[in-house]
């Protein structure tokens, strides 16, 4: 118990205590705390156990760099795993579960795994666990690995909206440099979006304070916010810009309490990178003990929340920045000793012990820091003294991630021992600490200057920091951590170097360095520096890993947004959906369209219902909604020519008022779609593409139209969604039309024969009727503009019922067409099916004009006699063949000759029918085959695809 | 998210577009005089340049095919133009 | 050049003396002036080729030239799935050879590649997809590979977190199950092959860029590199997205477009997903790594590109697809995301065989599915380079299939893409 609450410091509301629970134990913080500050002030030291060795770990940082303080947080019955304590505001009743602690972080004895650590170096699993196979060991490893636990019962709602925004200037980071840049741009009238991760803009000013332009910094903060707002811009706090993408797109995650988080997609003309820098750790033995913290983080928790890291504090540093923290802690009442690796440093107040040329060699303590051993300093090597807290500052790493994500390059700067953005290599302009500029005055100046500000930059005091380089010392005894969360030590880096995993990417992958949820914020440089030290190379020679989104871990729910359920993949809906539902339709998806599958009461036997619907349609008359049928109008004097080129079957020879079945191929000769083409006039066709192929068919037509023909002589118009089409089919179809009050001419077979089409008018205006059949029975397709769909529905519903008919769903239609051998593209055909495989041989053999896909029909493969061809299959007995079953020879080696593509009870023939694609199938009529399904085999006989009314008499009956 | 300039609609997001083919391919015809190899070359072989590429794209929302020059490494768009004979 | 033995015992021995006795996993070679065979590309396929050339065909003067660091391309940028649940006999033969080699790989290489045959479900959500699944499962069984059909109930038992709500867009109806499918540790495959090949005398040269292919009288004679001229009359290209550029040096055009394929990793959590899943409705596939991270991916970024970076729309699509399958995963955060450049062939099947000048062989076109094929890709390219003739399993994948119209298009034949 070392952390404590200062009586006055910080901005928490001491009149409003907030209760929360750590592994079931009640604790108290104040309104305004973060989880981290509340835990720190409550004196909790061990906040979790490490990933590999189960070492006790405490709070290290103040933001996204925090590697240790992760919890599964339950609030209002919802659990979120792996929440970083530094990023979540404390709320009443929150329950925290520490990670990798069976029953509580503080209750554990020293880990047995840690005792065995010498046998578990980096990558030990590549060298063992081979006996008996990895799967013998894997369950144990899996249970040990992982961080928090996902709660299966917590299903977050998909409510994070995505917002698209364009602005003039995007400023990422609201610290001193970002504020100066934002104001400079806004003063010139630019719409500036100023985005910051914290709840309030100000960056380090928030905990370091400062005087700007002769006043407390808050006046400057207010001025920036007002200037930005009055120029039409916006300040967006609690928002992390996590990705820089091609063509100037930035993704950001906005956290909101009481409202769903938001996913921002931002585009800006100019982007200023003011993301600051992250403090580096130092390397000494046991530098992972609870009580070792970032100096800046300790300052942050003290200034903002009055949470003090400890009482007897060693501040170990290589630079000027940590002196501010040392002074603040001393002022708060801590006993502070500064150990600076340099021979010179800033002067310090009375009461602060100041050791120059001193570094830490070792921290002592089993569960928390108790003593330290120094190296150097006035007492020389080995001096020891008591301390409960070690604050470290090993320099600063500029947050260059977004610059690099956008393709930017880095330069090495020896004076600050860091990689900084090379100006001009990405669209982002880096300022302040992100650009390697440290100190308030310098940051303000740079922000103003880089933004092209008019007049003088905001004035402030404050020298630029002096920073000395420091590297891990591989010769030091004891374990020095470079990656706290993934438990990687300097020895692991040394092992990787010894074994040749020296490229940074190999180092990362072999040791898992930098791959934890802190994304290497504190460890990447450490590992790089260790590898450089071990291999005698410089940092630039050693290289860096690639920076990719996300800059900070982002909830999947925020990126996924509201796209769930039907919003994930919208369905196409029929204009008459409500009418179908009111008649008891069971709606199902067919190729993106939601269509009636069968009609009937809840709990009906779907198969039996579909059989019954099909039977009624065969015996009397059925009515179904065919609206999804594609309707691409092809208009103009060049229409026939275009249709001929794009189709396998010529349409220029089709007379106006007639319809013809057609096929469309790909250039690979494969059947892309089928459908009936109507010719309404010399210069007007309607192509009825399959419902799920309309868009792709239109593109094939468009490409030919634009690339091959004179586009002014033919145009395309997809009007599929504008029409309702209802189809009347069955022996009583003619009677239905006659009694429905429709124009009499429609019932005249001379005026409207099979494969004829007429455009006429009825009570409500335009009506198009086509005599085409997908069932093998006399059929009328009636199409009206969608707004008249209900009227047509009403008229036909009455007439069909009067004739003893009924509505039929798609399942019945599929049965009717299967026994006729009418194919369904994508079901009975696949991506290698050519038209001659389906029996459509003549155009391939006879057409002498050029058409789409023609040449591919004559490759050696296309000409093989044993291509899979469409046939029918008959079986003995009443059991239909399973679709997807394979056809195999009755004798000899069992191999696939093809497969069943459609199957079911044939309503007209009164027995099971099936369609199949079988090697050389058309030459095997009458042959016996076996049909294989999941190990079982049934006999079948190959027959013609059309089992019902092969002469087609019923089309005219 | 890349932005592509449709010659007819202006800058639009990449998800509205569909890559059709490398530009400059001429369909060999009539079919009877075209060898298997030549047909396969037309249909399948590409330069797949690493750097500046000249390609045919279609803006699916307006249905227009057009030519776009862009860099396949940097993803910079260099130019776009309507197919020959089309109004820009 | 004996290989240092890895075992639990050697770990203990080294542990007691500070791990100072471990030797480099593979030698950092400087190239010789000439080799019997040169392989361009130090990814899994190239390293496996070198290993099998040395091991199966006794060729010792072999070099692998890698422009960056080994395993740094698609080998280290995938979702680590291994499987052989394919439709066409040609594909099944190829991928099952690979899976069988994977099954003995850790022992053979003395390097734990962490093959976890936890099983894979290809999940369907419509009756028509179930029919296609039956078509594939039956094809697998007829080709002697373990494949079966799972019912909706069985699928839910294996994947209890699957979206089971009333408004699920793609309620699972079941699908194809392959018990031998699973995941392996991708880096370990590259390192294990490199270490074993190096021990057999293969020179692995990292940081070596090939700038030209040298030919004489219609046959290859060597390569020009950043390390100088290297002579060899057998050259294998195993360079994924870089293959078109390399082949162009010999005047060879290939049926390839390069695209970025993204992969994603969530923060780690305790075990919640015990199988590999590919969902046809969303196009998203996912497994949980041994470390606890969800590893997932989806379709290609649909813009031909050599940039190893992904776009935002595909990230949104893949992630929303994952959440549609597993709504509870919305609790988790995205930790990493990356993209590989994949070489996509019109039929999405690989190209293995001779190309252009005599002595030049290619192994490319693996598109989105190359990791699982590493052992077979290496085995078959080694056979070609050593004997000059196709192995019967690689013959159907020869470049000649395009002119013959004999494409091996799994997506077309089975309705399910790679």
């Amino acid at each position: 118990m070392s952390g404590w609450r200062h009586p006055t410091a910080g901005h928490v509301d001491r009149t409003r205590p907030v209760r929360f629970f750590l592994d079931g134990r009640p604790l108290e913080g104040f309104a305004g705390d973060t989880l981290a500050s509340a835990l720190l002030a409550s004196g909790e030291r061990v906040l979790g156990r490490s990933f590999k060795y189960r070492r006790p770990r405490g709070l290290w940082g103040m933001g996204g760099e925090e590697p240790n303080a992760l919890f599964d947080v339950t609030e209002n019955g919802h659990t979120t795993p792996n929440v970083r304590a530094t990023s979540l505001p404390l709320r009443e009743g929150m329950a925290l579960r520490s990670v990798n602690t069976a029953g509580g972080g503080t209750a554990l004895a020293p880990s047995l795994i840690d005792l065995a650590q010498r046998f578990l170096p980096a990558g030990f699993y590549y060298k063992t666990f081979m006996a008996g196979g990895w799967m013998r060991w894997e369950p144990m490893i899996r249970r040990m690995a992982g961080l928090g636990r996902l709660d299966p019962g917590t299903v977050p709602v998909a409510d994070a909206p995505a917002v698209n925004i364009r602005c003039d200037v995007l400023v990422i980071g609201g610290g001193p440099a970002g504020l100066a840049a934002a104001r400079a741009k806004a003063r010139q009238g630019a719409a500036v979006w100023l985005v910051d991760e914290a709840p309030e803009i100000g960056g380090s000013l928030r905990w370091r304070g400062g005087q700007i332009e002769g006043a407390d910094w808050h006046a400057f903060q207010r001025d920036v916010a007002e200037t930005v707002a009055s120029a039409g811009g916006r300040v967006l706090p609690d928002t992390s810009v996590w990705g820089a993408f091609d063509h100037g797109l930035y993704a950001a995650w906005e956290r909101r309490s009481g409202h769903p988080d938001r996913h921002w997609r931002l585009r800006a003309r100019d982007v200023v990178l003011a993301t600051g820098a992250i403090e580096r750790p130092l390397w000494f033995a046991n530098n992972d003990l609870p009580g070792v913290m970032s100096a800046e983080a300790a300052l942050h928790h003290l200034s903002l929340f009055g949470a003090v890291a400890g009482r007897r504090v060693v501040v170990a540093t290589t630079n000027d920045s940590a002196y501010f923290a040392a002074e603040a802690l001393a002022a708060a009442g801590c006993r502070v000793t500064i150990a600076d690796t340099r021979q010179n440093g800033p002067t310090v107040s009375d009461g602060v012990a100041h050791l120059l040329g001193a570094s830490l060699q070792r921290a002592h303590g089993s569960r928390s820091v108790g003593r330290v051993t120094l190296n150097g300093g006035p007492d020389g090597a080995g001096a020891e003294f008591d301390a409960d807290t070690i604050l470290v500052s090993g320099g600063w790493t500029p947050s260059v991630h977004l610059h690099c994500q956008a393709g930017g390059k880095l330069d090495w700067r020896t004076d600050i021992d860091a990689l900084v953005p090379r100006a001009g290599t990405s669209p982002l302009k880096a300022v302040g600490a992100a650009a390697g500029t440290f100190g308030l005055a310098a940051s303000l100046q740079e922000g103003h200057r880089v933004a092209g500000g008019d007049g003088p930059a905001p004035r402030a005091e404050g020298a630029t920091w002096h920073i000395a380089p420091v590297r891990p010392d591989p010769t030091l005894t004891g374990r020095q951590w470079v990656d706290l969360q993934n438990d990687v030590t300097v020895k692991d880096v040394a092992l990787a170097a010894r074994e040749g995993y020296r490229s940074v990417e190999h180092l990362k992958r072999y040791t898992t360095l930098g791959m934890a949820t802190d994304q290497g914020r504190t460890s990447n440089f450490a590992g790089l520096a260790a590898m450089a030290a071990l291999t005698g190379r410089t940092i630039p020679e050693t290289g860096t890993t690639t920076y990719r989104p996300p800059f900070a871990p982002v909830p999947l729910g925020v990126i996924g947004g509201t796209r769930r359920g039907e919003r994930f993949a919208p369905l196409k809906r029929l204009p008459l959906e409500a009418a179908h539902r009111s008649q008891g339709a069971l709606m199902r998806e067919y190729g993106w369209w939601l269509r009636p599958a069968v009609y009937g009461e809840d709990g009906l036997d779907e198969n039996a219902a579909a059989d019954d619907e099909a039977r009624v349609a065969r015996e009397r008359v059925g009515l179904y909604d065919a609206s999804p049928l594609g309707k691409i109008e092809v208009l103009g004097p060049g229409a026939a020519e275009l249709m001929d080129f794009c189709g396998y079957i010529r349409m220029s020879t089709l007379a106006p008022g007639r319809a013809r079945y057609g096929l469309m191929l790909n250039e690979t000769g494969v059947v892309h779609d089928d459908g009936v083409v109507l010719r309404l006039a010399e210069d007007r066709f309607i192509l009825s593409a399959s419902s799920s192929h309309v868009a792709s068919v239109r593109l094939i037509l468009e490409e030919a139209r634009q690339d091959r023909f004179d586009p002014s002589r033919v145009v395309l118009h997809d009007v599929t969604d504008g029409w309702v089409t209802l189809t009347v089919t069955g022996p009583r179809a003619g009677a239905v039309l006659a009694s429905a009050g429709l124009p009499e001419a429609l019932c005249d077979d001379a005026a409207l024969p099979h494969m004829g089409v007429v455009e006429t008018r009825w009570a409500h205006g335009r009506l198009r009727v086509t005599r085409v059949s997908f069932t093998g029975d006399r059929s009328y397709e009636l199409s009206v503009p969608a707004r008249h769909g209900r009227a047509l529905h009403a008229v036909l519903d009455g007439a069909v019922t009067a004739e003893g008919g009924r509505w039929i769903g798609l399942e019945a239609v599929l049965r009717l067409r299967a026994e006729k051998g009418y194919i369904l593209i994508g079901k009975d055909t696949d991506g290698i099916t050519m038209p001659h495989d389906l029996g459509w041989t003549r155009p391939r053999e006879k057409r002498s004009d050029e058409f789409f896909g023609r040449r591919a029909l004559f490759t050696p493969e296309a000409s093989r006699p044993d291509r899979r061809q469409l046939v029918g299959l008959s079986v003995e007995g009443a059991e239909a063949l399973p679709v997807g079953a394979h056809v195999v020879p009755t004798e000899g080696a069992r191999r696939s000759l093809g497969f069943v593509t459609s199957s079911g009870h044939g309503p007209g023939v009164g027995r099971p029918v099936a369609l199949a694609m079988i090697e050389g199938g058309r030459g095997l009529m009458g042959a016996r085959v076996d049909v294989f399904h999941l190990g079982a085999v049934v006999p079948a006989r190959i027959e013609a695809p059309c089992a019902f009314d092969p002469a087609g008499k019923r089309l005219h009956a | 998210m890349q932005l592509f300039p449709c010659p007819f609609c202006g800058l639009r997001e990449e998800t509205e577009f569909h890559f059709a083919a490398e530009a400059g391919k001429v369909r060999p015809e009539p079919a009877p005089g075209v060898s298997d190899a030549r047909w396969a070359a037309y249909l399948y072989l590409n330069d797949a340049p690493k750097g500046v590429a000249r390609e045919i794209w279609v803006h699916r929302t307006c249905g227009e095919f057009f030519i776009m020059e862009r860099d396949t490494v940097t993803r910079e768009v260099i130019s776009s133009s309507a197919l020959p004979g089309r109004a820009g | 050049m004996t290989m240092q033995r890895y075992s639990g015992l050697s770990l203990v021995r080294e542990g007691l003396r500070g791990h100072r006795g471990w030797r480099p996993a593979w030698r950092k070679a400087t190239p010789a002036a000439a080799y019997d065979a040169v392989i361009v590309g130090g990814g899994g396929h190239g390293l496996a080729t070198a290993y099998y050339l040395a091991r199966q065909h006794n060729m010792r003067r072999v070099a692998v030239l890698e422009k960056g660091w080994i395993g740094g391309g698609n080998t280290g940028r995938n979702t680590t799935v291994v499987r052989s649940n394919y439709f066409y006999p040609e594909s099944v033969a190829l991928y099952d050879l690979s899976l069988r080699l994977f099954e003995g790989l850790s022992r053979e290489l003395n390097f734990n590649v962490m093959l976890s045959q936890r099983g894979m479900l290809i999940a369907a959500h419509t009756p028509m997809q179930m029919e296609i699944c039956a078509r594939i499962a039956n094809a697998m069984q007829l080709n002697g590979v373990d494949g079966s059909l799972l019912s909706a109930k069985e699928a839910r038992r294996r994947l209890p977190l699957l979206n089971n709500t009333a408004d699920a867009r793609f309620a699972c109806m079941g699908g194809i199950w392959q018990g031998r499918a699973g995941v392996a540790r991708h880096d370990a495959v590259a390192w294990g092959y490199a270490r074993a090949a190096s021990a057999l005398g293969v020179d692995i040269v990292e940081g070596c860029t090939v700038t030209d292919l040298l030919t004489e009288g219609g046959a290859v004679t060597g390569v020009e590199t950043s390390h100088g001229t290297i002579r060899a009359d057998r050259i294998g290209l195993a360079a994924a997205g870089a293959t078109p550029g390399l082949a162009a040096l010999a005047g060879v055009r290939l049926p390839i477009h390069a695209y970025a394929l993204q992969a994603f990793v969530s923060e780690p959590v305790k075990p919640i997903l015990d199988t590999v899943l590919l969902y046809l409705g969303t196009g998203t596939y996912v497994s949980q790594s041994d470390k606890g991270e969800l590893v997932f991916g989806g379709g290609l970024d649909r813009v031909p590109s050599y940039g190893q970076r992904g776009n935002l729309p595909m990230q949104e699509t893949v992630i929303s697809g994952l959440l549609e399958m597993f709504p509870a995963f919305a609790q988790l955060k995205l930790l990493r995301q990356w993209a590989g450049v994949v070489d996509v062939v019109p039929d999405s099947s690989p190209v293995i065989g001779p190309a252009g000048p005599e002595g030049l062989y290619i192994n490319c076109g693996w598109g989105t599915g190359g990791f699982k094929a590493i052992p077979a890709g290496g085995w078959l390219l080694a056979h070609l380079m050593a004997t000059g003739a196709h192995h019967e399993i690689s013959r159907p994948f020869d470049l000649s299939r395009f002119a013959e119209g004999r494409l091996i298009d799994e997506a077309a034949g089975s309705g399910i893409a790679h």
Side-chain angles (χ1 to χ4, degrees), chain C residues 99 131 147-148 202 204 229 264 303 311 343 381 411:
Chain C
L99 190 49
E131 293 169 2
S148 57
V202 171
I204 296 166
T229 308
F264 306 83
V303 180
N311 70 10
D343 41 342
L381 183 58

Side-chain angles (χ1 to χ4, degrees), chain A residues 272-288:
Chain A
V272 176
L273 182 75
T275 40
I278 290 162
E279 193 163 45
R280 291 177 194 161
L282 283 171
W283 305 283
F284 48 89
N286 300 330
N287 63 339
D288 70 323

Side-chain angles (χ1 to χ4, degrees), chain A residues 432-595:
Chain A
T437 301
F438 297 104
L440 178 57
S443 290
L444 289 167
Q445 273 169 22
E446 188 175 54
H448 183 82
R449 178 178 52 79
V450 169
D454 305 317
R459 281 174 295 102
E461 298 292 315
T464 303
W465 303 342
H466 174 260
I467 297 170
V470 63
R471 297 285 175 273
D473 176 3
T475 65
L476 210 62
T477 53
R479 281 190 285 168
Q480 309 172 63
W481 268 258
V482 293
D483 186 321
L484 290 170
Q485 195 182 114
N486 272 354
D487 268 335
V488 182
T489 66
V490 173
K491 281 183 180 159
D492 292 321
V493 180
L495 178 64
R498 194 173 302 134
E499 297 194 274
Y501 300 96
R502 292 180 172 215
S503 125
V504 274
E505 285 288 346
H506 282 156
L507 169 66
K508 178 180 101 175
R509 289 153 182 266
Y510 188 62
T511 63
T512 73
L513 174 96
M515 297 179 86
T517 65
D518 57 4
Q519 298 171 304
R521 279 174 171 69
T522 57
S523 58
N524 272 345
F525 182 83
L528 206 57
M531 183 56 90
L534 283 157
T535 54
R537 292 178 292 181
T538 63
I539 299 265
E541 282 166 358
T542 310
T544 60
T545 55
T546 313
Y547 296 86
R548 303 181 184 288
F551 170 48
V554 185
L556 295 175
V558 169
I559 304 173
T562 59
R563 293 201 288 181
R564 217 75 67 77
E566 201 179 323
R567 286 188 303 267
F568 174 76
L571 286 163
K572 296 184 179 184
R573 287 171 182 276
L574 299 170
L576 295 180
E577 182 180 332
H580 295 305
R581 284 189 187 277
S582 72
Q583 285 173 309
L586 171 73
M587 305 296 285
R588 179 175 296 154
E589 179 191 349
Y590 296 88
W592 302 100
W593 281 91
L594 196 63
R595 307 178 68 172

Side-chain angles (χ1 to χ4, degrees), chain A residues 118 138 498 565 569 827, chain C residues 19 118 131 169 290 324 334:
Chain A
R118 61 157 53 178
E138 190 186 32
R498 194 173 302 134
K827 181 171 169 63
Chain C
H19 298 285
R118 52 181 74 172
E131 293 169 2
R169 177 68 177 82
D290 288 329
E324 177 58 26
L334 177 69

